[in-house]
Amino acid sequence: MTPTQVDVNFRLCPTTKMNLFQSVTSALDNTLASDPTAVIFGEDVAFGGVFRCTVGLRDKYGKDRVFNTPLCEQGIVGFGIGAAVAGATAIAEIQFADYIYPAFDQIVNEAAKYRYRSGNLFDCGNLTIRAPWGCVGHGSLYHSQSPEAFFAHCPGIKVVIPRGPVQCKGLLLSCIADQNPCIFFEPKILYRAAVEQVPTEAYTIPLSQAEVIQEGSDVTLVAWGTQIHVLREVANMAQEKLGVSCELIDLQTILPWDTETVCKSVAKTGRLLISHEAPITGGFAAEISSTVQEECFLNLEAPIARVCGYDTPFPHIFEPFYIPDKWKCFDAVKKLISF
Amino acid sequence: MQKMLTIISNVLRGSARRNGAQVVSEGASLVVASRSYADFTPEATFDIKKVDLHRLEEGPPLTSTLTREEGLKYYRTMQTIRRMELKADQLYKQKIIRGFCHLYDGQEACAVGIEGGITLSDHLITAYRAHGYTLTRGGTVREIMAELTGRRGGIAKGKGGSMHMYTKNFYGGNGIVGAQVPLGAGVALACKYLGNDQLCVSLYGDGAANQGQIFETYNMSSLWKLPIIFICENNQYAMGTSVERSAASTEYYKRGDYIPGIRVDGMDVLCVREATKFAAAHCRSGKGPILMELQTYRYHGHSMSDPGVSYRTREEIQEVRSKSDPISMLKDRMLSNNMASIEELKEIDIAVRKEIEDAAQFATTDPEPPLDDLCSHIFANDQPFEVRGATPWTKLTSTS
């Protein structure tokens, strides 16, 4: 069931100061209010969730709409698929993206293929899966992962990652409204750190549309989630220290991704840098790089640079060395310019 | 007299490298020999709680015989675990330990009792609340604390942290809930295959008991009669969710269905030991798996990020501490049966405190692992190979 979409210029609506987890709560609040079939479930969501994303919702909407599941990811997603197929707007929470793998089979083999294999007779488009994502400073092997690349390889689902509270609420509401099963990764390090004025009413930001956050003429920088803020700093450093003008693009939707915006930008600048925390081999930057070289081969002035995590498990004590920080990215920009 | 005890203990401890418990009891019995051996009861038999049985005609015995040496050993080990966890709490609050840290204080009787029922050549695997098991399975406090602080002297060379500690025949230390149980079945299969009469103890918590892969493991191990002891450490709360709110059946010892089960008081080290001996005999006789539920309690919250009082009352924690604390229980038993003197136990406390202090000192001052270790041991390699780094021109060499 689709909630009513609010198609306004949301930047003109009344707003409240919210951090990232509050923007999630706001989106879920809007959904539960407007869609009587919406239910939220997952581990510990009832008291508000380990990251406070569902605070107050159970009290407001009742315990049959916001409820806990036992500790069983495969069960949570399988159950969510069933609820979605039967007509409920099912919003499942996986406590950390690192724990999503027991549910991998359900997502890839069941959720993604439901519409296709039934010839459009059935679908689980009402399903949205939310999970905290990315490094947090001390998460180590199993509380820091960015698994978007595993799911990018699966036609039939959508994968979305916001960079801040305003995008988070709009994109989450779009995922919930979208007629396909969606996975929504929330950068956990930004839950408290990112604060913005966010519209209190419901609004959507379109999926599969990348956003050009900053225009530039010399280098295209592409990232998503937390890494956008790193690249923003890199763009400033490049302007100040090298006089280089960078165009910064937030991909927002990983699958299906906005090839047009990225290629248009690279056609203009001739240089591309993609950055993500996930390991470099087989990371999503590889897909972007491959497509861009196909489309913009003759526009390229330098090889496409990817600044990513090392090809190792996400480390315990080595995290500061592992992550693609601003210095590594800045270095890559310098090399792009001087190729 | 007092000084002599300390001197002899120190000398013996200085010459040993590991397993301080052995040393103290040797030291103690040595001194006692020169004092008056008749002063202490060499062994005593205690009544222990009857266990609940599932698909079993008989259970473990209702009494347990404890020797003085065993008593002192268990006391020292439990006290070491207790003080080590409290020290970890302190270091965590000082931000010397970072990341995730799940403390075991309150549950000491489980680790020590289980080890009392098996041998070091048997195998054990557990989840992330693993510091106690790392110690009972042969790790030293120094290595454990250095692993918590991520230094090169750590038991996993500083690369694993709190949740990933390993020693011989101890397979960790696992972060993903429930994932360790099928692994345990695999180890048990290897034992059966190699015909070495060893078994595998596979532990999991009350939260993990709802994971699908555990039921898959029940089936496989029963079908193939694997020598595996499933142990559910039921500390009443899966993070902040009580057992009533997460399980359709809170009788975890019955949830193996066709697998025989026993439910044991996990706060009494003797109960746990007798139950483990019983379970081990069951496995070694070729009858296949058995399930043990240990009813226990943790004083700390789930991890250092959890104060532990939002889902349970301080009164509840206090009550368990005063009525069922495993270390107090053992201490009372030994003192009231004249198996040890209060001074002797105090000496052990002091020795343990010193050991922990030294270990904490080491853990704080040992250097961090070198940067090359970031890429080492990804694969098994004959030759070093290059690992791609954060940028196209950064590469590290991986050696194994």
Side-chain angles (χ1 to χ4, degrees):
Chain A
M1 228 196 218
T2 44
T4 328
Q5 293 200 36
V6 177
D7 182 25
V8 291
N9 186 346
F10 61 84
R11 289 166 225 280
L12 302 175
C13 296
T15 63
T16 314
K17 194 160 92 164
M18 289 186 212
N19 61 28
L20 196 84
F21 73 73
Q22 287 164 336
S23 71
V24 172
T25 318
S26 179
L28 296 175
D29 195 348
N30 293 145
T31 305
L32 289 167
S34 61
D35 179 354
T37 71
V39 283
I40 299 173
F41 51 92
E43 292 158 24
D44 299 303
V45 299
F47 86 95
V50 288
F51 290 108
R52 311 258 223 108
C53 295
T54 49
V55 168
L57 297 177
R58 186 178 165 96
D59 289 337
K60 200 166 165 188
Y61 296 102
K63 60 181 170 49
D64 51 331
R65 297 187 70 191
V66 180
F67 55 91
N68 285 339
T69 60
L71 213 170
C72 44
E73 287 74 18
Q74 185 173 28
I76 292 171
V77 174
F79 168 87
I81 294 170
V85 171
T89 299
I91 304 166
E93 178 181 299
I94 299 289
Q95 198 156 82
F96 281 85
D98 315 53
Y99 308 159
I100 204 167
Y101 306 110
F104 196 77
D105 173 72
Q106 284 288 343
I107 295 170
V108 167
N109 276 334
E110 306 302 319
K113 300 174 168 59
Y114 223 115
R115 191 190 293 276
Y116 189 91
R117 72 188 184 197
S118 66
N120 207 21
L121 193 60
F122 287 105
D123 71 85
C124 59
N126 295 326
L127 174 66
T128 306
I129 301 167
R130 297 177 33 246
W133 168 101
C135 79
V136 71
H138 53 269
S140 167
L141 288 86
Y142 299 112
H143 295 79
S144 318
Q145 292 177 38
S146 312
E148 68 273 10
F150 292 112
F151 297 100
H153 194 54
C154 178
I157 52 171
K158 294 196 176 179
V159 180
V160 179
I161 306 175
R163 68 171 183 276
V166 171
Q167 283 66 37
C168 179
K169 179 168 168 174
L171 289 170
L172 179 55
L173 285 169
S174 290
C175 285
I176 293 170
D178 194 278
Q179 286 301 285
N180 299 290
C182 296
I183 304 180
F184 188 73
F185 288 125
E186 301 162 359
K188 63 176 87 69
I189 202 174
L190 298 180
Y191 273 139
R192 286 179 197 266
V195 182
E196 278 182 315
Q197 292 288 128
V198 181
T200 41
E201 296 296 313
Y203 62 95
T204 55
I205 294 179
L207 299 184
S208 296
Q209 258 188 44
E211 189 183 334
V212 179
I213 302 178
Q214 190 180 301
E215 285 193 14
S217 53
D218 301 327
V219 177
T220 302
L221 306 173
V222 174
W224 46 92
T226 322
Q227 201 65 5
I228 284 287
H229 304 289
V230 175
L231 288 187
R232 208 198 285 263
E233 235 187 293
V234 172
N236 291 341
M237 280 159 68
Q239 183 66 64
E240 274 173 36
K241 303 203 168 123
L242 308 169
V244 164
S245 150
C246 295
E247 181 148 295
L248 179 57
I249 300 180
D250 181 0
L251 203 63
Q252 294 190 135
T253 303
I254 305 299
L255 181 76
W257 66 284
D258 184 355
T259 54
E260 209 183 301
T261 305
V262 175
C263 291
K264 212 165 96 177
S265 173
V266 178
K268 181 171 70 166
T269 63
R271 293 174 185 86
L272 175 61
L273 184 151
I274 316 157
S275 185
H276 57 66
E277 285 165 24
I280 187 166
T281 297
F284 198 65
E287 157 65 25
I288 298 175
S289 179
S290 180
T291 304
V292 167
Q293 67 85 29
E294 274 170 20
E295 302 289 324
C296 312
F297 186 74
L298 293 173
N299 302 91
L300 287 172
E301 296 290 338
I304 299 171
R306 294 183 286 158
V307 184
C308 309
Y310 282 83
D311 278 339
T312 74
F314 199 100
H316 169 51
I317 192 125
F318 297 108
E319 182 169 334
F321 297 107
Y322 175 92
I323 51 172
D325 59 24
K326 63 183 181 191
W327 301 111
K328 293 175 183 161
C329 296
F330 182 62
D331 214 23
V333 170
K334 281 204 282 198
K335 292 208 160 64
L336 276 176
I337 292 297
S338 55
F339 183 76
Chain B
M1 252 312 116
Q2 202 71 331
K3 219 174 152 191
M4 197 163 128
L5 179 116
T6 325
I7 291 169
I8 292 178
S9 300
N10 281 337
V11 166
L12 285 168
R13 209 178 307 119
S15 62
R17 283 265 137 73
R18 282 177 171 236
N19 209 340
Q22 291 289 1
V23 173
V24 170
S25 65
E26 275 169 18
S29 51
L30 243 186
V31 175
V32 163
S34 67
R35 227 168 123 184
S36 40
Y37 192 45
D39 267 8
F40 291 125
T41 322
E43 69 175 45
T45 305
F46 298 95
D47 290 330
I48 53 176
K49 264 198 220 150
K50 188 169 182 301
V51 309
D52 297 308
L53 300 173
H54 170 70
R55 288 186 186 267
L56 281 167
E57 294 299 318
E58 286 171 5
L62 295 170
T63 57
S64 179
T65 306
L66 179 73
T67 68
R68 204 180 105 82
E69 282 74 38
E70 284 169 346
L72 291 170
K73 182 169 93 172
Y74 299 158
Y75 180 82
R76 180 165 178 142
T77 314
M78 289 203 286
Q79 192 69 290
T80 307
I81 297 175
R82 175 68 60 91
R83 297 247 68 90
M84 180 174 74
E85 297 297 75
L86 294 177
K87 192 66 179 170
D89 171 282
Q90 199 188 353
L91 290 176
Y92 193 94
K93 287 174 177 152
Q94 293 173 319
K95 298 206 172 181
I96 298 171
I97 297 176
R98 314 266 347 261
F100 295 87
C101 194
H102 308 85
L103 299 178
Y104 198 65
D105 52 315
Q107 298 184 216
E108 295 88 355
C110 296
V112 175
I114 290 170
E115 200 59 44
I118 57 174
T119 68
L120 281 172
S121 57
D122 290 315
H123 308 264
L124 192 142
I125 188 168
T126 184
Y128 45 76
R129 203 173 299 281
H131 307 160
Y133 290 100
T134 317
L135 191 77
T136 55
R137 289 255 98 201
T140 62
V141 183
R142 264 167 77 102
E143 290 172 319
I144 294 171
M145 302 218 80
E147 186 59 40
L148 289 173
T149 54
R151 309 300 166 102
R152 59 180 81 186
I155 204 163
K157 304 188 177 62
K159 294 179 70 166
S162 166
M163 292 191 279
H164 309 289
M165 299 191 184
Y166 305 83
T167 75
K168 184 167 191 297
N169 291 348
F170 174 54
Y171 305 85
N174 292 281
I176 301 296
V177 170
Q180 73 278 9
V181 180
L183 247 97
V187 173
L189 176 73
C191 296
K192 181 166 177 164
Y193 186 90
L194 296 170
N196 51 27
D197 204 36
Q198 291 162 8
L199 51 81
C200 182
V201 178
S202 256
L203 292 121
Y204 56 95
D206 45 283
N210 300 318
Q211 275 276 320
Q213 47 196 326
I214 295 192
F215 295 90
E216 293 180 12
T217 315
Y218 289 159
N219 185 46
M220 287 191 290
S221 46
S222 277
L223 193 61
W224 300 326
K225 291 213 175 355
L226 301 181
I228 180 170
I229 304 176
F230 292 104
I231 300 189
C232 178
E233 267 181 304
N234 179 2
N235 59 17
Q236 309 301 318
Y237 298 97
M239 276 201 345
T241 306
S242 67
V243 292
E244 295 82 35
R245 290 198 300 127
S246 65
S249 161
T250 55
E251 296 184 303
Y252 294 99
Y253 70 113
K254 288 187 182 169
R255 287 176 70 176
D257 190 13
Y258 37 79
I259 296 180
I262 53 178
R263 180 165 58 187
V264 179
D265 177 6
M267 302 303 269
D268 180 353
V269 67
L270 295 179
C271 267
V272 178
R273 185 182 73 168
E274 293 311 314
T276 310
K277 281 188 180 159
F278 174 81
H282 176 102
C283 283
R284 287 194 229 274
S285 66
K287 295 197 190 115
I290 185 167
L291 209 170
M292 237 164 82
E293 178 188 338
L294 296 177
Q295 293 196 302
T296 182
Y297 200 83
R298 52 166 163 81
Y299 297 147
H300 268 86
H302 163 74
S303 71
M304 287 305 298
S305 337
D306 172 22
V309 288
S310 52
Y311 47 86
R312 55 185 188 172
T313 59
R314 284 185 209 273
E315 287 78 42
E316 181 187 294
I317 306 171
Q318 237 346 87
E319 196 180 331
V320 177
R321 236 191 239 277
S322 53
K323 295 210 179 109
S324 322
D325 183 83
I327 300 176
S328 305
M329 211 190 287
L330 180 65
K331 186 171 173 180
D332 290 341
R333 275 187 170 140
M334 290 188 73
L335 290 175
S336 57
N337 282 272
N338 199 27
M339 292 179 84
S341 70
I342 209 160
E343 292 83 25
E344 200 175 6
L345 296 180
K346 276 214 172 65
E347 287 284 325
I348 295 179
D349 289 348
I350 293 170
V352 165
R353 245 179 247 266
K354 178 153 193 321
E355 189 182 354
I356 306 295
E357 275 310 315
D358 287 347
Q361 186 56 24
F362 174 68
T364 324
T365 53
D366 200 38
E368 287 173 0
L371 184 56
D372 284 341
D373 273 7
L374 169 61
C375 290
S376 64
H377 306 114
I378 302 172
F379 291 108
N381 7 306
D382 308 312
Q383 309 265 355
F385 72 96
E386 280 186 336
V387 170
R388 299 162 92 189
T391 52
W393 49 90
T394 47
K395 291 191 192 340
L396 286 181
T397 310
S398 171
T399 50
S400 268

